[in-house]
Structures are given as structure tokens and as C-alpha cells.
Amino acid sequence: MNQYVGLDVSQDETHICVVDRDGNKLWEGSCLDLPHMMVPVRELVTGLVSMR
């Protein structure tokens, strides 16, 4: 199954959405635009998406 991650980066916050190839939302969330806040989100999303 192909999965895609979309990032909507703003000045204060980043919104993240993981969808499958048909556009079905698998996960959605947001975090502050601080490096230490992005690491847990990246680890969570990596578990959902196959990294190639």
C-alpha cells in the first residue's frame, strides 16, 4: 500500500496528514514548530509509512 505524508508548515505550527493512495486519511495531527516537538511526530509517522 502506498502512503503519503503532507506537511502544512506555518510560523508557529506544522500540521501533518498521512493518506493512502486513494486519499483516505490514515492519521492527522499537528505540533509546534520546534525541533524537539517534531521528533516524536516523525517517529509516529514513520511507524505508519514505509520509508523507502
Side-chain angles (χ1 to χ4, degrees):
M1 175 196 299
N2 293 336
Q3 299 167 335
Y4 305 92
V5 178
L7 301 173
D8 180 8
V9 180
S10 68
Q11 197 166 4
D12 300 319
E13 192 172 45
T14 296
H15 294 269
I16 304 110
C17 186
V18 179
V19 297
D20 65 15
R21 64 193 250 172
D22 296 322
N24 299 310
K25 191 182 309 179
L26 303 175
W27 186 83
E28 182 177 31
S30 64
C31 68
L32 296 176
D33 281 343
L34 301 170
H36 69 278
M37 299 296 288
M38 292 295 289
V39 171
V41 173
R42 185 193 68 196
E43 291 172 356
L44 173 67
V45 170
T46 299
L48 295 172
V49 178
S50 300
M51 303 301 280
R52 295 178 192 235

